[in-house]
Amino acid sequence: MMKNEGQRFRFSEAPVWDWQRAYYEQKGLKAWTDNQVPQYITSNPMIATAYAEMIFGFLQDLAAKGKTTETVTILELGAGVGRLAFQILIKLCELRDYAATELPSFRYIMTDLASDNVFGWKNHPSMQSFIQQGLLDFAQFDAMHDTELNLAAAGTVIRPGELMQPLLIIANYFFDSIPQELIYVGEGKIYECDVMLSNADSSSNLQPVERLENMELSYAYRPAPKFSADTYPYRDVISLYQEELEDSHILFPAAGLACLDRLETLSQSGYVLITADKGDHRLDNWKFAEPPEFVLHGSFSLTANYHAIQHVLEQRGAHTCFTSHHYKDLNIGCMLMVKEPMSYVNTRLAYLREVERFGPDDFFSIKEWFDHQVSRMELKQLLPFWRLGRYDAEFLIHSAQRISDLIPDASDEEMLDIQQGIHTMWSSYYTMEQMGDIAFLAGQLMNEMAVYEDAKHFLELSLQADELKHNPAVLYDLAVCCYELELEEEALDYTRKVLAMDPDHEEARSLLQSFESR
């Protein structure tokens, strides 16, 4: 590998951003399904419910203002694997149907830079119902340049000024993943930090992920008069940093703010931003900040500067919500860049209920602890936690063995709650590559509870998900279900398939003998 002695770049123009872009374009949805880029923390049913509650509150606020005739556009930036969008739509439709009150209609638009992702969402089996109802559409969107949205399903274009309702923007792990400026504050002066890259020769044949893994970083400083100029659009927040900070490296979201400005032009009524990231909104957390740390996970992520975004928007009249307590892994904000933002009472109340009092970040912290305690828990703790997590499929993956161990001593009520929980989980399950495994776990538990019709249903789903390589364990459980349901021909067929794959399968041989002895 060739080693250069350090090419110097302006931070926001360094090739790392091109490598990031190339990584997502090459990997497509596999960036998330291969478990390289984290997606659970911002895509689980808990955070989807919190977002759906805030969106529902927003719809209620618009209805209270008499604004029910125009459709509300919900725009997700960098929608990733698509799991969050699906979960939000499930929860939002539940709230709409339960309330049975007059609300403006809505459509959810998923966007990403990679065209393959748009194609993947559009053809995903879990999305088809929402597409057919006109609730879901897709657009390729470059956050650095684009000014309009070309909708893939409707075949129409949203241009500046065409939306009458405020735009609702969802941006998870977005502001930390697009180019940022890097400045340094020292002795009341602003310097720009250039990045020096070594061991990442652009002429080599390394893949983007390899370039990121092999790069060596250092920084060089130079005066940056443009940030201090009166003409700089974010001069107010830069002045604040000069006054309040010392020996501090600041990631500045100029590109993110510019993206928000372009999106704002789409609507005549402003926008509401719901966003989650590893990012600080408190000025104190930027004091004496070290140079940024690149967190690698196939691509990379940095820290989002929510303080700058909050300050800029509030200067323009927005009302912003962040938690009064400190976040641990995920900082969630709601920013209302609309006329009379305090009148959006239901939106702000939803943030209070779903984020401030106890939110997705709190849940994620508890879940990390929970995953290590499962083997010691009883059903009276397991089932309430599953409800708290909104019947998340991840729960079943981590808890199925423990639930199985407890089923022999479970009460009828507990077994009914397990059965109901499985059905609720499956009704909002976003089809992913582990679908067969989750269906198998559900089928096994139903089988052990003697709910054979349900067990047969889930086991058949597991079988369909793995048509090329049938699992003898699935086939045997299906044989047992069919036996108990007195479906003799199916039971025999599954039993023989098990023995064809594993002639020494004792349980299957015993089951076959029971048929032959009749």
Side-chain angles (χ1 to χ4, degrees):
M1 182 189 305
M2 293 180 63
K3 177 180 178 180
N4 64 62
E5 295 303 320
Q7 294 175 284
R8 181 168 177 166
F9 302 93
R10 184 180 182 190
F11 189 80
S12 61
E13 298 172 357
V16 293
W17 303 106
D18 294 329
W19 303 336
Q20 172 105 309
R21 183 184 184 116
Y23 172 80
Y24 284 112
E25 289 179 334
Q26 288 180 12
K27 297 290 290 186
L29 295 179
K30 285 189 174 295
W32 293 273
T33 57
D34 286 351
N35 292 320
Q36 287 186 308
V37 179
Q39 53 95 7
Y40 175 78
I41 189 172
T42 54
S43 300
N44 60 72
M46 182 70 175
I47 193 170
T49 299
Y51 281 24
E53 290 281 359
M54 286 187 276
I55 296 169
F56 184 70
F58 178 63
L59 298 176
Q60 288 177 302
D61 287 328
L62 292 174
K65 296 173 182 292
K67 298 181 178 180
T68 58
T69 57
E70 300 288 341
T71 298
V72 172
T73 297
I74 305 164
L75 180 70
E76 185 180 355
L77 300 173
V81 74
R83 187 179 180 189
L84 177 67
F86 174 77
Q87 294 281 354
I88 288 175
L89 283 169
I90 288 284
K91 306 300 181 185
L92 186 56
C93 289
E94 286 177 359
L95 291 169
R96 177 200 62 187
D97 296 343
Y98 188 85
T101 188
E102 185 180 13
L103 296 170
S105 60
F106 58 86
R107 61 176 170 183
Y108 195 111
I109 301 174
M110 301 169 64
T111 71
D112 210 323
L113 175 66
S115 59
D116 285 351
N117 289 359
V118 175
F119 179 81
W121 301 327
K122 187 178 178 183
N123 292 281
H124 195 286
S126 294
M127 300 299 195
Q128 300 312 304
S129 173
F130 293 125
I131 296 172
Q132 292 163 10
Q133 295 176 65
L135 297 177
L136 180 62
D137 216 315
F138 319 91
Q140 186 177 5
F141 182 74
D142 186 338
M144 300 301 293
H145 307 290
D146 288 347
T147 58
E148 57 187 32
L149 299 168
N150 292 274
L151 304 187
T156 57
V157 181
I158 300 176
R159 296 182 175 87
E162 290 189 349
L163 301 179
M164 304 303 295
Q165 299 276 35
L167 177 65
L168 195 145
I169 303 168
I170 295 173
N172 285 354
Y173 282 140
F174 173 76
F175 293 106
D176 73 324
S177 300
I178 61 175
Q180 301 183 64
E181 308 294 344
L182 180 60
I183 60 177
Y184 173 78
V185 182
E187 299 180 350
K189 296 180 180 179
I190 299 293
Y191 299 87
E192 189 157 6
C193 301
D194 290 339
V195 62
M196 309 285 287
L197 285 178
S198 300
N199 281 8
D201 190 353
S202 59
S203 65
S204 71
N205 294 320
L206 294 177
Q207 292 297 311
V209 64
E210 295 173 314
R211 294 184 190 277
L212 291 168
E213 289 173 348
N214 284 279
M215 68 180 180
E216 295 178 4
L217 300 174
S218 60
Y219 296 95
Y221 304 85
R222 57 183 169 82
K226 84 160 195 175
F227 289 102
S228 302
D230 291 338
T231 55
Y232 188 64
Y234 314 116
R235 178 73 186 105
D236 287 347
V237 68
I238 296 296
S239 295
L240 180 65
Y241 292 160
Q242 285 180 274
E243 294 170 6
E244 299 292 334
L245 301 181
E246 179 62 34
D247 191 19
S248 302
H249 295 79
I250 308 297
L251 284 161
F252 195 80
L257 287 164
C259 178
L260 290 175
D261 289 344
R262 279 183 276 109
L263 290 174
E264 185 177 16
T265 67
L266 296 177
S267 170
Q268 298 181 25
S269 304
Y271 64 87
V272 172
L273 170 65
I274 301 175
T275 180
D277 216 317
K278 179 185 66 174
D280 292 309
H281 65 279
R282 293 178 173 85
L283 183 61
D284 283 350
N285 290 336
W286 291 98
K287 290 182 177 178
F288 305 106
E290 298 290 333
E293 177 184 355
F294 282 71
V295 179
L296 301 181
H297 35 62
S299 60
F300 68 85
S301 59
L302 298 167
T303 298
N305 187 346
Y306 277 143
H307 175 269
I309 297 172
Q310 179 185 41
H311 184 92
V312 169
L313 296 191
E314 286 184 346
Q315 289 291 101
R316 297 175 179 177
H319 174 76
T320 64
C321 302
F322 282 96
T323 59
S324 58
H325 58 268
H326 292 79
Y327 82 98
K328 177 62 178 174
D329 296 289
L330 195 66
N331 198 6
I332 298 176
C334 179
M335 309 188 197
L336 294 95
M337 190 66 196
V338 290
K339 184 179 179 181
E340 298 180 346
M342 296 303 290
S343 68
Y344 287 75
V345 176
N346 291 293
T347 309
R348 295 188 294 108
L349 281 174
Y351 183 88
L352 175 68
R353 291 191 306 266
E354 302 296 327
V355 182
E356 169 69 30
R357 289 177 177 167
F358 179 89
D361 182 58
D362 304 304
F363 174 76
F364 187 74
S365 294
I366 293 175
K367 185 182 180 300
E368 286 186 314
W369 168 85
F370 168 87
D371 289 344
H372 296 288
Q373 307 300 320
V374 169
S375 62
R376 290 181 282 183
M377 287 187 170
E378 301 296 325
L379 288 174
K380 67 178 182 179
Q381 290 103 32
L382 290 169
L383 294 177
F385 189 82
W386 200 12
R387 286 192 289 274
L388 177 65
R390 311 300 191 261
Y391 295 103
D392 186 9
E394 291 285 330
F395 171 92
L396 198 66
I397 293 173
H398 290 289
S399 308
Q401 184 57 57
R402 180 57 177 167
I403 293 173
S404 175
D405 294 340
L406 295 171
I407 281 176
D409 296 320
S411 66
D412 290 344
E413 291 83 359
E414 287 172 329
M415 286 196 284
L416 284 171
D417 285 347
I418 295 170
Q419 183 182 3
Q420 177 191 354
I422 289 173
H423 282 292
T424 302
M425 174 203 72
W426 196 259
S427 69
S428 59
Y429 176 67
Y430 183 67
T431 304
M432 294 178 69
E433 291 186 354
Q434 70 268 44
M435 171 186 164
D437 295 335
I438 294 173
F440 181 38
L441 292 175
Q444 280 185 312
L445 292 174
M446 293 290 199
N447 202 357
E448 291 169 15
M449 294 187 296
V451 188
Y452 295 115
E453 287 188 6
D454 285 355
K456 183 173 182 288
H457 169 70
F458 283 106
L459 292 167
E460 287 173 341
L461 287 174
S462 178
L463 209 60
Q464 292 167 14
D466 191 19
E467 293 179 353
L468 297 178
K469 184 181 177 183
H470 285 170
N471 185 337
V474 179
L475 293 168
Y476 175 71
D477 282 356
L478 272 168
V480 172
C481 287
C482 292
Y483 178 84
E484 296 292 345
L485 293 169
E486 298 182 355
L487 302 172
E488 186 169 318
E489 289 187 10
E490 287 187 66
L492 272 170
D493 181 53
Y494 285 128
T495 303
R496 287 167 179 155
K497 286 180 179 177
V498 174
L499 291 172
M501 298 176 69
D502 182 5
D504 297 324
H505 197 293
E506 294 184 5
E507 292 87 350
R509 292 176 62 184
S510 176
L511 185 59
L512 183 62
Q513 289 172 3
S514 69
F515 282 115
E516 293 173 345
S517 64
R518 287 187 175 184

